[in-house]
Amino acid sequence: MPTYNAPLRDMKFVMEEVLNVGQLTEYEKFAEADTETLDAILEQSAKFTSEVLAPLNAVGDHEGCVRHPDGSVTTPTGFKEAYQQVVEGGMMGLAQDPEYGGMGMPGVWHIAAGEMQSAANMAFAMYPGLTNGAIKAIEIGGSDAQKQTYLPKMISGEWTGTMNLTEPHCGTDLGMLKTKAVPNSDGSYKITGQKIFISAGEHDMSDNIIHLCLARIEGAPAGVKGISLFIVPKFKLDADGNPAERNTVTCGSIEEKMGIHGNSTCVMNYDEAEGYLIGEENKGLRVMFVMMNRARLDVGMQGLAQSEVAYQNAASYAKDRTQGRALTGPKNEDGPADPIIVHPDVRRMLMETKAFNEGGRALVYWSALLEDLEGVHADEKFREKADDYLGLLTPVIKGYLTDMAMKTTIDCQQIFGGHGFIEEWGMSQFVRDTRIALIYEGANGVQALDLVGRKLARNGGRALMTLNAEIDAFLKENGDNEKLAEFMTGLKDAKDKLTQGTMWLMQNGMSNPNNAGAGSVDYMHMMGLTSLAYMWAMMGVTAQKAIDDGSNEDFYPNKIITGRYFMLRMLPMMDAHLAKIKTGAEPVMALEAAAF
Ligand SMILES: Cc1cc2nc3c(=O)[nH]c(=O)nc-3n(C[C@H](O)[C@H](O)[C@H](O)COP(=O)(O)OP(=O)(O)OC[C@H]3O[C@@H](n4cnc5c(N)ncnc54)[C@H](O)[C@@H]3O)c2cc1C
């Protein structure tokens, strides 16, 4: 049975030593977000996730959710009780607005706690995760009355939330959405249509479920310009705001699927269900996109979290399982064989996963810190930079981190040999659960197109130019650090190659958009590699300084060794991606569709 222990030392290293999240206490909003409170929250979350959520992960996988003939859904054994602990512990409200009952702590704290939940039990973590998304949408677009009505109960966790976008004929292309909204005389709407694949659409864990549903008001323009967003509660509220009459939104069926069995993936039927418009008519996508950007960062974090838990179990197995002898001579002379961790190929898989996890963690936390700072920083230029970076990095975090997590979870499964293929060991679940992260919240190919087609060019390419200037300044400051020469050379080289890729796409993507489309995933990976190189260079500087200052904790030299692996063994992929981009679309598109 796999286990999970939150990597607290690494989380604190990134937050406290590399990113200095303590800087947030300088702002009134986060005045109470001190290190002692952070440590206490991380430790409480670590205990809950390793002791409560992780043991339920396999239970959820085996039992799945069950839909009953009346449309109700039961979650796996233990989920309801664990969720009750989330509510009672106030975990939902960690980074939410105190005006509605939240604790008002930084989002970067929330993302660390979320990483732990997703690593221990991804299917479970989606219930509070989707509620967070729905809270965000109501905060951004809701009226004061809607905020007062829904946010306190959702922030306490008593009510959960969902996102209802997808329909049978429309997933990526939301412009084709058909769900209909007809105005009632009292200002509400009758919502009719079918949504599919709705995560947490129906379950037994909360008193009410607040569905956020995209629909088209009768007579609205076709395409994306005619889409509005509605709140549709499972139970309508009485005059005191308590759940009362059942609304006509019901779960028609739940999907049997490859992974995340503990999360109910529902077909939701809207049969003249009562709904309430959020924001303006036909402007629903605007609100939904802000919320989806947040959700995309969370999905990138889900990939990272699965990679971390898979790594922990693979590392432990590799030290325990004995097969064959080290190429350089026996290491375990008293035993019949050496532990498989002596084999360079097993090391390769472990090192690649470890270097990815630690670099990815820094990238996700950095982006969350930028988001926190964007909300409080006095300097408009800084806020602009934070917004630019978040725009640029969101598709990279979603797409690159989950693509990589698919590879690393499979590598970790490989370390178990045949046992990795056997369900009892749990490695298969990590691979299966990770798979969805590449698909939902916009398939990874679509993330790459968003990066190349929209984010890169926005404001005349300002985001990447600013990031490049920041990296240049970092290299100027640290370039003469001989102990970190490989880090600095790696980062500079990555930045230069990324620039070549950018130039090529700019010069060749306009004349033939297929050139941009064919190179976009490679470009997203180049951006991911360069971002991780920057994170590793920053972490290298922090670790080296601790060593130079006399620390004798193994953590720091180990950090340098892992970062060096990234620079020497993972960054060279930049060349392959650049070469592929430069072929353009011709080899990709040459075959006639009929020949496939
Ligand atoms: C387990 C699960 C949970 C989900 N949870 C939710 C949820 O809570 N709420 C919700 O609304 N939806 C949810 N979804 C739906 C999910 O977001 C969609 O499946 C996803 O957006 C892709 O849409 P689609 O399946 O219709 O694929 P399609 O849009 O048909 O796309 C198929 C493939 O074609 C490619 N593609 C499509 N368009 C383009 C393009 N323009 N350029 C390049 N490539 C393209 C992509 O590779 C894509 O994978 C969930 C799905 C699953 C399986």
mmCIF file of all heavy atoms in Angstrom, residues 117-163:
data_model
loop_
_atom_site.group_PDB
_atom_site.id
_atom_site.type_symbol
_atom_site.label_atom_id
_atom_site.label_comp_id
_atom_site.label_asym_id
_atom_site.label_seq_id
_atom_site.Cartn_x
_atom_site.Cartn_y
_atom_site.Cartn_z
ATOM 1 N N GLN A 117 -2.985 17.752 -0.395
ATOM 2 C CA GLN A 117 -4.261 17.026 -0.565
ATOM 3 C C GLN A 117 -4.289 16.268 -1.886
ATOM 4 O O GLN A 117 -4.711 15.115 -1.944
ATOM 5 C CB GLN A 117 -5.437 18.007 -0.514
ATOM 6 C CG GLN A 117 -5.702 18.541 0.876
ATOM 7 C CD GLN A 117 -7.099 19.149 1.029
ATOM 8 O OE1 GLN A 117 -7.946 19.035 0.160
ATOM 9 N NE2 GLN A 117 -7.340 19.791 2.147
ATOM 10 N N SER A 118 -3.807 16.920 -2.947
ATOM 11 C CA SER A 118 -3.845 16.267 -4.263
ATOM 12 C C SER A 118 -2.888 15.091 -4.335
ATOM 13 O O SER A 118 -3.143 14.130 -5.056
ATOM 14 C CB SER A 118 -3.486 17.262 -5.368
ATOM 15 O OG SER A 118 -4.566 18.110 -5.598
ATOM 16 N N ALA A 119 -1.763 15.186 -3.632
ATOM 17 C CA ALA A 119 -0.810 14.072 -3.640
ATOM 18 C C ALA A 119 -1.388 12.892 -2.868
ATOM 19 O O ALA A 119 -1.296 11.742 -3.291
ATOM 20 C CB ALA A 119 0.517 14.512 -3.028
ATOM 21 N N ALA A 120 -2.007 13.190 -1.731
ATOM 22 C CA ALA A 120 -2.522 12.107 -0.883
ATOM 23 C C ALA A 120 -3.749 11.459 -1.499
ATOM 24 O O ALA A 120 -3.946 10.250 -1.390
ATOM 25 C CB ALA A 120 -2.858 12.656 0.501
ATOM 26 N N ASN A 121 -4.579 12.272 -2.171
ATOM 27 C CA ASN A 121 -5.844 11.732 -2.671
ATOM 28 C C ASN A 121 -6.447 12.731 -3.660
ATOM 29 O O ASN A 121 -7.252 13.584 -3.297
ATOM 30 C CB ASN A 121 -6.798 11.505 -1.481
ATOM 31 C CG ASN A 121 -7.974 10.642 -1.840
ATOM 32 O OD1 ASN A 121 -8.466 10.680 -2.953
ATOM 33 N ND2 ASN A 121 -8.434 9.863 -0.879
ATOM 34 N N MET A 122 -6.046 12.589 -4.909
ATOM 35 C CA MET A 122 -6.441 13.581 -5.918
ATOM 36 C C MET A 122 -7.957 13.634 -6.103
ATOM 37 O O MET A 122 -8.544 14.707 -6.228
ATOM 38 C CB MET A 122 -5.748 13.243 -7.240
ATOM 39 C CG MET A 122 -6.080 14.155 -8.387
ATOM 40 S SD MET A 122 -4.944 13.870 -9.748
ATOM 41 C CE MET A 122 -5.957 14.373 -11.128
ATOM 42 N N ALA A 123 -8.581 12.458 -6.109
ATOM 43 C CA ALA A 123 -10.032 12.414 -6.344
ATOM 44 C C ALA A 123 -10.772 13.151 -5.228
ATOM 45 O O ALA A 123 -11.720 13.904 -5.489
ATOM 46 C CB ALA A 123 -10.507 10.970 -6.416
ATOM 47 N N PHE A 124 -10.322 12.974 -4.003
ATOM 48 C CA PHE A 124 -10.952 13.661 -2.870
ATOM 49 C C PHE A 124 -10.714 15.171 -2.981
ATOM 50 O O PHE A 124 -11.635 15.981 -2.813
ATOM 51 C CB PHE A 124 -10.380 13.140 -1.546
ATOM 52 C CG PHE A 124 -10.921 13.864 -0.350
ATOM 53 C CD1 PHE A 124 -12.051 13.389 0.296
ATOM 54 C CD2 PHE A 124 -10.329 15.038 0.113
ATOM 55 C CE1 PHE A 124 -12.582 14.078 1.391
ATOM 56 C CE2 PHE A 124 -10.857 15.730 1.189
ATOM 57 C CZ PHE A 124 -11.989 15.246 1.835
ATOM 58 N N ALA A 125 -9.467 15.544 -3.262
ATOM 59 C CA ALA A 125 -9.096 16.968 -3.267
ATOM 60 C C ALA A 125 -9.888 17.770 -4.293
ATOM 61 O O ALA A 125 -9.999 18.991 -4.186
ATOM 62 C CB ALA A 125 -7.594 17.109 -3.529
ATOM 63 N N MET A 126 -10.440 17.072 -5.285
ATOM 64 C CA MET A 126 -11.207 17.802 -6.301
ATOM 65 C C MET A 126 -12.501 18.385 -5.741
ATOM 66 O O MET A 126 -13.001 19.387 -6.259
ATOM 67 C CB MET A 126 -11.509 16.880 -7.481
ATOM 68 C CG MET A 126 -10.271 16.609 -8.326
ATOM 69 S SD MET A 126 -10.563 15.347 -9.556
ATOM 70 C CE MET A 126 -11.738 16.170 -10.631
ATOM 71 N N TYR A 127 -13.079 17.772 -4.705
ATOM 72 C CA TYR A 127 -14.337 18.326 -4.167
ATOM 73 C C TYR A 127 -14.096 19.729 -3.599
ATOM 74 O O TYR A 127 -14.739 20.685 -4.046
ATOM 75 C CB TYR A 127 -14.954 17.391 -3.114
ATOM 76 C CG TYR A 127 -15.431 16.055 -3.681
ATOM 77 C CD1 TYR A 127 -14.626 14.919 -3.634
ATOM 78 C CD2 TYR A 127 -16.688 15.944 -4.269
ATOM 79 C CE1 TYR A 127 -15.068 13.703 -4.157
ATOM 80 C CE2 TYR A 127 -17.137 14.734 -4.787
ATOM 81 C CZ TYR A 127 -16.323 13.611 -4.726
ATOM 82 O OH TYR A 127 -16.754 12.416 -5.242
ATOM 83 N N PRO A 128 -13.144 19.895 -2.657
ATOM 84 C CA PRO A 128 -12.862 21.273 -2.212
ATOM 85 C C PRO A 128 -12.257 22.129 -3.321
ATOM 86 O O PRO A 128 -12.500 23.338 -3.384
ATOM 87 C CB PRO A 128 -11.877 21.096 -1.049
ATOM 88 C CG PRO A 128 -11.478 19.669 -1.017
ATOM 89 C CD PRO A 128 -12.474 18.886 -1.823
ATOM 90 N N GLY A 129 -11.494 21.499 -4.221
ATOM 91 C CA GLY A 129 -10.835 22.263 -5.298
ATOM 92 C C GLY A 129 -11.859 22.935 -6.204
ATOM 93 O O GLY A 129 -11.729 24.115 -6.547
ATOM 94 N N LEU A 130 -12.889 22.192 -6.596
ATOM 95 C CA LEU A 130 -13.911 22.778 -7.474
ATOM 96 C C LEU A 130 -14.712 23.844 -6.740
ATOM 97 O O LEU A 130 -15.132 24.840 -7.332
ATOM 98 C CB LEU A 130 -14.830 21.682 -8.010
ATOM 99 C CG LEU A 130 -14.151 20.931 -9.150
ATOM 100 C CD1 LEU A 130 -14.581 19.486 -9.201
ATOM 101 C CD2 LEU A 130 -14.415 21.630 -10.471
ATOM 102 N N THR A 131 -14.907 23.629 -5.443
ATOM 103 C CA THR A 131 -15.616 24.646 -4.659
ATOM 104 C C THR A 131 -14.824 25.954 -4.675
ATOM 105 O O THR A 131 -15.393 27.040 -4.830
ATOM 106 C CB THR A 131 -15.818 24.141 -3.208
ATOM 107 O OG1 THR A 131 -16.437 22.863 -3.270
ATOM 108 C CG2 THR A 131 -16.669 25.098 -2.400
ATOM 109 N N ASN A 132 -13.510 25.828 -4.559
ATOM 110 C CA ASN A 132 -12.671 27.034 -4.625
ATOM 111 C C ASN A 132 -12.869 27.783 -5.929
ATOM 112 O O ASN A 132 -12.934 29.014 -5.950
ATOM 113 C CB ASN A 132 -11.187 26.644 -4.529
ATOM 114 C CG ASN A 132 -10.729 26.635 -3.104
ATOM 115 O OD1 ASN A 132 -11.014 27.564 -2.367
ATOM 116 N ND2 ASN A 132 -10.034 25.583 -2.724
ATOM 117 N N GLY A 133 -12.934 27.044 -7.018
ATOM 118 C CA GLY A 133 -13.147 27.671 -8.325
ATOM 119 C C GLY A 133 -14.478 28.398 -8.361
ATOM 120 O O GLY A 133 -14.575 29.532 -8.852
ATOM 121 N N ALA A 134 -15.509 27.748 -7.837
ATOM 122 C CA ALA A 134 -16.840 28.360 -7.860
ATOM 123 C C ALA A 134 -16.875 29.609 -6.962
ATOM 124 O O ALA A 134 -17.494 30.622 -7.302
ATOM 125 C CB ALA A 134 -17.880 27.340 -7.411
ATOM 126 N N ILE A 135 -16.178 29.540 -5.836
ATOM 127 C CA ILE A 135 -16.088 30.714 -4.944
ATOM 128 C C ILE A 135 -15.472 31.882 -5.717
ATOM 129 O O ILE A 135 -15.949 33.009 -5.685
ATOM 130 C CB ILE A 135 -15.240 30.380 -3.693
ATOM 131 C CG1 ILE A 135 -15.986 29.409 -2.780
ATOM 132 C CG2 ILE A 135 -14.839 31.640 -2.932
ATOM 133 C CD1 ILE A 135 -15.139 28.833 -1.642
ATOM 134 N N LYS A 136 -14.400 31.561 -6.420
ATOM 135 C CA LYS A 136 -13.685 32.595 -7.177
ATOM 136 C C LYS A 136 -14.635 33.261 -8.182
ATOM 137 O O LYS A 136 -14.660 34.485 -8.310
ATOM 138 C CB LYS A 136 -12.506 31.932 -7.902
ATOM 139 C CG LYS A 136 -11.562 32.866 -8.567
ATOM 140 C CD LYS A 136 -10.411 33.164 -7.649
ATOM 141 C CE LYS A 136 -9.561 34.303 -8.143
ATOM 142 N NZ LYS A 136 -8.865 34.977 -7.061
ATOM 143 N N ALA A 137 -15.410 32.440 -8.897
ATOM 144 C CA ALA A 137 -16.297 32.994 -9.928
ATOM 145 C C ALA A 137 -17.341 33.916 -9.300
ATOM 146 O O ALA A 137 -17.635 34.988 -9.840
ATOM 147 C CB ALA A 137 -16.980 31.865 -10.688
ATOM 148 N N ILE A 138 -17.894 33.513 -8.153
ATOM 149 C CA ILE A 138 -18.910 34.363 -7.513
ATOM 150 C C ILE A 138 -18.249 35.642 -6.995
ATOM 151 O O ILE A 138 -18.808 36.738 -7.099
ATOM 152 C CB ILE A 138 -19.641 33.585 -6.392
ATOM 153 C CG1 ILE A 138 -20.408 32.407 -7.003
ATOM 154 C CG2 ILE A 138 -20.584 34.493 -5.607
ATOM 155 C CD1 ILE A 138 -21.050 31.454 -6.007
ATOM 156 N N GLU A 139 -17.028 35.504 -6.482
ATOM 157 C CA GLU A 139 -16.300 36.710 -6.018
ATOM 158 C C GLU A 139 -16.074 37.686 -7.163
ATOM 159 O O GLU A 139 -16.235 38.892 -7.010
ATOM 160 C CB GLU A 139 -14.934 36.309 -5.458
ATOM 161 C CG GLU A 139 -14.964 35.968 -3.994
ATOM 162 C CD GLU A 139 -13.587 35.523 -3.489
ATOM 163 O OE1 GLU A 139 -12.632 35.437 -4.294
ATOM 164 O OE2 GLU A 139 -13.490 35.245 -2.306
ATOM 165 N N ILE A 140 -15.699 37.153 -8.316
ATOM 166 C CA ILE A 140 -15.357 38.030 -9.446
ATOM 167 C C ILE A 140 -16.605 38.659 -10.060
ATOM 168 O O ILE A 140 -16.643 39.843 -10.341
ATOM 169 C CB ILE A 140 -14.647 37.234 -10.577
ATOM 170 C CG1 ILE A 140 -13.375 36.586 -10.085
ATOM 171 C CG2 ILE A 140 -14.340 38.120 -11.782
ATOM 172 C CD1 ILE A 140 -12.943 35.437 -10.979
ATOM 173 N N GLY A 141 -17.636 37.807 -10.267
ATOM 174 C CA GLY A 141 -18.755 38.297 -11.063
ATOM 175 C C GLY A 141 -20.052 38.473 -10.317
ATOM 176 O O GLY A 141 -20.985 39.105 -10.839
ATOM 177 N N GLY A 142 -20.158 37.951 -9.104
ATOM 178 C CA GLY A 142 -21.446 37.949 -8.417
ATOM 179 C C GLY A 142 -21.843 39.310 -7.865
ATOM 180 O O GLY A 142 -20.995 40.184 -7.636
ATOM 181 N N SER A 143 -23.153 39.475 -7.654
ATOM 182 C CA SER A 143 -23.644 40.708 -7.014
ATOM 183 C C SER A 143 -23.355 40.609 -5.509
ATOM 184 O O SER A 143 -23.056 39.522 -4.992
ATOM 185 C CB SER A 143 -25.157 40.820 -7.225
ATOM 186 O OG SER A 143 -25.787 39.751 -6.551
ATOM 187 N N ASP A 144 -23.509 41.733 -4.806
ATOM 188 C CA ASP A 144 -23.291 41.695 -3.356
ATOM 189 C C ASP A 144 -24.215 40.679 -2.697
ATOM 190 O O ASP A 144 -23.804 39.920 -1.817
ATOM 191 C CB ASP A 144 -23.525 43.080 -2.741
ATOM 192 C CG ASP A 144 -22.320 43.982 -3.000
ATOM 193 O OD1 ASP A 144 -21.263 43.425 -3.390
ATOM 194 O OD2 ASP A 144 -22.455 45.204 -2.845
ATOM 195 N N ALA A 145 -25.472 40.680 -3.153
ATOM 196 C CA ALA A 145 -26.444 39.753 -2.549
ATOM 197 C C ALA A 145 -26.020 38.302 -2.796
ATOM 198 O O ALA A 145 -26.108 37.464 -1.896
ATOM 199 C CB ALA A 145 -27.823 40.013 -3.138
ATOM 200 N N GLN A 146 -25.545 38.022 -4.009
ATOM 201 C CA GLN A 146 -25.105 36.640 -4.294
ATOM 202 C C GLN A 146 -23.909 36.271 -3.421
ATOM 203 O O GLN A 146 -23.832 35.162 -2.897
ATOM 204 C CB GLN A 146 -24.743 36.500 -5.785
ATOM 205 C CG GLN A 146 -25.972 36.497 -6.679
ATOM 206 C CD GLN A 146 -25.631 36.577 -8.162
ATOM 207 O OE1 GLN A 146 -24.567 37.081 -8.544
ATOM 208 N NE2 GLN A 146 -26.538 36.100 -8.996
ATOM 209 N N LYS A 147 -23.006 37.228 -3.267
ATOM 210 C CA LYS A 147 -21.827 36.948 -2.420
ATOM 211 C C LYS A 147 -22.262 36.641 -0.997
ATOM 212 O O LYS A 147 -21.797 35.686 -0.378
ATOM 213 C CB LYS A 147 -20.863 38.136 -2.445
ATOM 214 C CG LYS A 147 -20.163 38.304 -3.778
ATOM 215 C CD LYS A 147 -19.214 39.491 -3.728
ATOM 216 C CE LYS A 147 -18.802 39.877 -5.140
ATOM 217 N NZ LYS A 147 -18.033 41.087 -5.203
ATOM 218 N N GLN A 148 -23.178 37.482 -0.467
ATOM 219 C CA GLN A 148 -23.633 37.273 0.919
ATOM 220 C C GLN A 148 -24.364 35.943 1.061
ATOM 221 O O GLN A 148 -24.258 35.267 2.081
ATOM 222 C CB GLN A 148 -24.598 38.401 1.352
ATOM 223 C CG GLN A 148 -23.988 39.790 1.402
ATOM 224 C CD GLN A 148 -22.915 39.925 2.475
ATOM 225 O OE1 GLN A 148 -22.780 39.053 3.321
ATOM 226 N NE2 GLN A 148 -22.132 40.993 2.411
ATOM 227 N N THR A 149 -25.087 35.571 0.022
ATOM 228 C CA THR A 149 -25.904 34.349 0.109
ATOM 229 C C THR A 149 -25.049 33.084 0.027
ATOM 230 O O THR A 149 -25.259 32.136 0.777
ATOM 231 C CB THR A 149 -26.934 34.323 -1.049
ATOM 232 O OG1 THR A 149 -27.684 35.523 -0.987
ATOM 233 C CG2 THR A 149 -27.871 33.128 -0.949
ATOM 234 N N TYR A 150 -24.089 33.080 -0.892
ATOM 235 C CA TYR A 150 -23.402 31.813 -1.184
ATOM 236 C C TYR A 150 -22.008 31.687 -0.564
ATOM 237 O O TYR A 150 -21.600 30.600 -0.165
ATOM 238 C CB TYR A 150 -23.303 31.605 -2.713
ATOM 239 C CG TYR A 150 -24.664 31.457 -3.341
ATOM 240 C CD1 TYR A 150 -25.262 32.517 -4.018
ATOM 241 C CD2 TYR A 150 -25.381 30.272 -3.209
ATOM 242 C CE1 TYR A 150 -26.538 32.400 -4.567
ATOM 243 C CE2 TYR A 150 -26.651 30.137 -3.756
ATOM 244 C CZ TYR A 150 -27.222 31.208 -4.432
ATOM 245 O OH TYR A 150 -28.480 31.075 -4.948
ATOM 246 N N LEU A 151 -21.265 32.785 -0.533
ATOM 247 C CA LEU A 151 -19.849 32.635 -0.159
ATOM 248 C C LEU A 151 -19.622 32.096 1.259
ATOM 249 O O LEU A 151 -18.804 31.188 1.435
ATOM 250 C CB LEU A 151 -19.092 33.955 -0.374
ATOM 251 C CG LEU A 151 -18.920 34.361 -1.847
ATOM 252 C CD1 LEU A 151 -18.108 35.652 -1.964
ATOM 253 C CD2 LEU A 151 -18.260 33.246 -2.645
ATOM 254 N N PRO A 152 -20.333 32.596 2.286
ATOM 255 C CA PRO A 152 -20.013 32.080 3.633
ATOM 256 C C PRO A 152 -20.171 30.565 3.742
ATOM 257 O O PRO A 152 -19.325 29.887 4.316
ATOM 258 C CB PRO A 152 -21.013 32.820 4.536
ATOM 259 C CG PRO A 152 -21.329 34.078 3.789
ATOM 260 C CD PRO A 152 -21.321 33.694 2.347
ATOM 261 N N LYS A 153 -21.229 30.023 3.150
ATOM 262 C CA LYS A 153 -21.467 28.573 3.253
ATOM 263 C C LYS A 153 -20.474 27.783 2.405
ATOM 264 O O LYS A 153 -20.143 26.638 2.728
ATOM 265 C CB LYS A 153 -22.888 28.236 2.770
ATOM 266 C CG LYS A 153 -23.974 28.839 3.620
ATOM 267 C CD LYS A 153 -24.161 28.038 4.890
ATOM 268 C CE LYS A 153 -25.414 28.474 5.622
ATOM 269 N NZ LYS A 153 -25.496 27.938 6.966
ATOM 270 N N MET A 154 -20.029 28.369 1.305
ATOM 271 C CA MET A 154 -19.060 27.657 0.462
ATOM 272 C C MET A 154 -17.663 27.748 1.076
ATOM 273 O O MET A 154 -16.880 26.803 1.036
ATOM 274 C CB MET A 154 -19.068 28.233 -0.964
ATOM 275 C CG MET A 154 -20.395 27.985 -1.660
ATOM 276 S SD MET A 154 -20.548 28.844 -3.233
ATOM 277 C CE MET A 154 -19.643 27.735 -4.305
ATOM 278 N N ILE A 155 -17.369 28.893 1.681
ATOM 279 C CA ILE A 155 -16.057 29.074 2.302
ATOM 280 C C ILE A 155 -15.931 28.212 3.557
ATOM 281 O O ILE A 155 -14.862 27.688 3.865
ATOM 282 C CB ILE A 155 -15.804 30.583 2.569
ATOM 283 C CG1 ILE A 155 -15.505 31.274 1.222
ATOM 284 C CG2 ILE A 155 -14.681 30.799 3.574
ATOM 285 C CD1 ILE A 155 -15.379 32.769 1.275
ATOM 286 N N SER A 156 -17.046 28.008 4.251
ATOM 287 C CA SER A 156 -16.988 27.102 5.412
ATOM 288 C C SER A 156 -16.904 25.655 4.950
ATOM 289 O O SER A 156 -16.518 24.773 5.711
ATOM 290 C CB SER A 156 -18.232 27.289 6.281
ATOM 291 O OG SER A 156 -19.362 26.751 5.605
ATOM 292 N N GLY A 157 -17.305 25.409 3.702
ATOM 293 C CA GLY A 157 -17.296 24.045 3.167
ATOM 294 C C GLY A 157 -18.627 23.340 3.340
ATOM 295 O O GLY A 157 -18.802 22.216 2.883
ATOM 296 N N GLU A 158 -19.602 24.025 3.987
ATOM 297 C CA GLU A 158 -20.907 23.363 4.164
ATOM 298 C C GLU A 158 -21.566 23.086 2.814
ATOM 299 O O GLU A 158 -22.300 22.135 2.660
ATOM 300 C CB GLU A 158 -21.827 24.261 4.993
ATOM 301 C CG GLU A 158 -21.448 24.313 6.462
ATOM 302 C CD GLU A 158 -22.086 25.508 7.144
ATOM 303 O OE1 GLU A 158 -23.226 25.397 7.605
ATOM 304 O OE2 GLU A 158 -21.426 26.573 7.197
ATOM 305 N N TRP A 159 -21.339 23.964 1.847
ATOM 306 C CA TRP A 159 -21.845 23.747 0.492
ATOM 307 C C TRP A 159 -20.627 23.615 -0.432
ATOM 308 O O TRP A 159 -19.599 24.282 -0.228
ATOM 309 C CB TRP A 159 -22.685 24.940 0.005
ATOM 310 C CG TRP A 159 -23.904 25.212 0.843
ATOM 311 C CD1 TRP A 159 -24.420 24.431 1.849
ATOM 312 C CD2 TRP A 159 -24.756 26.367 0.765
ATOM 313 N NE1 TRP A 159 -25.528 25.022 2.390
ATOM 314 C CE2 TRP A 159 -25.767 26.206 1.746
ATOM 315 C CE3 TRP A 159 -24.769 27.504 -0.046
ATOM 316 C CZ2 TRP A 159 -26.774 27.161 1.936
ATOM 317 C CZ3 TRP A 159 -25.769 28.448 0.131
ATOM 318 C CH2 TRP A 159 -26.761 28.275 1.123
ATOM 319 N N THR A 160 -20.763 22.762 -1.420
ATOM 320 C CA THR A 160 -19.664 22.624 -2.392
ATOM 321 C C THR A 160 -20.074 23.263 -3.720
ATOM 322 O O THR A 160 -21.235 23.646 -3.900
ATOM 323 C CB THR A 160 -19.298 21.149 -2.604
ATOM 324 O OG1 THR A 160 -20.475 20.444 -2.994
ATOM 325 C CG2 THR A 160 -18.712 20.531 -1.354
ATOM 326 N N GLY A 161 -19.123 23.349 -4.643
ATOM 327 C CA GLY A 161 -19.399 23.992 -5.929
ATOM 328 C C GLY A 161 -18.942 23.140 -7.100
ATOM 329 O O GLY A 161 -18.154 22.205 -6.933
ATOM 330 N N THR A 162 -19.462 23.458 -8.268
ATOM 331 C CA THR A 162 -19.048 22.750 -9.503
ATOM 332 C C THR A 162 -18.922 23.744 -10.646
ATOM 333 O O THR A 162 -19.400 24.874 -10.558
ATOM 334 C CB THR A 162 -20.096 21.708 -9.942
ATOM 335 O OG1 THR A 162 -21.263 22.419 -10.393
ATOM 336 C CG2 THR A 162 -20.471 20.747 -8.834
ATOM 337 N N MET A 163 -18.307 23.276 -11.719
ATOM 338 C CA MET A 163 -18.213 24.047 -12.966
ATOM 339 C C MET A 163 -18.897 23.261 -14.063
ATOM 340 O O MET A 163 -18.499 22.140 -14.352
ATOM 341 C CB MET A 163 -16.754 24.165 -13.402
ATOM 342 C CG MET A 163 -15.930 25.131 -12.619
ATOM 343 S SD MET A 163 -14.187 24.849 -12.998
ATOM 344 C CE MET A 163 -14.143 25.145 -14.757
#
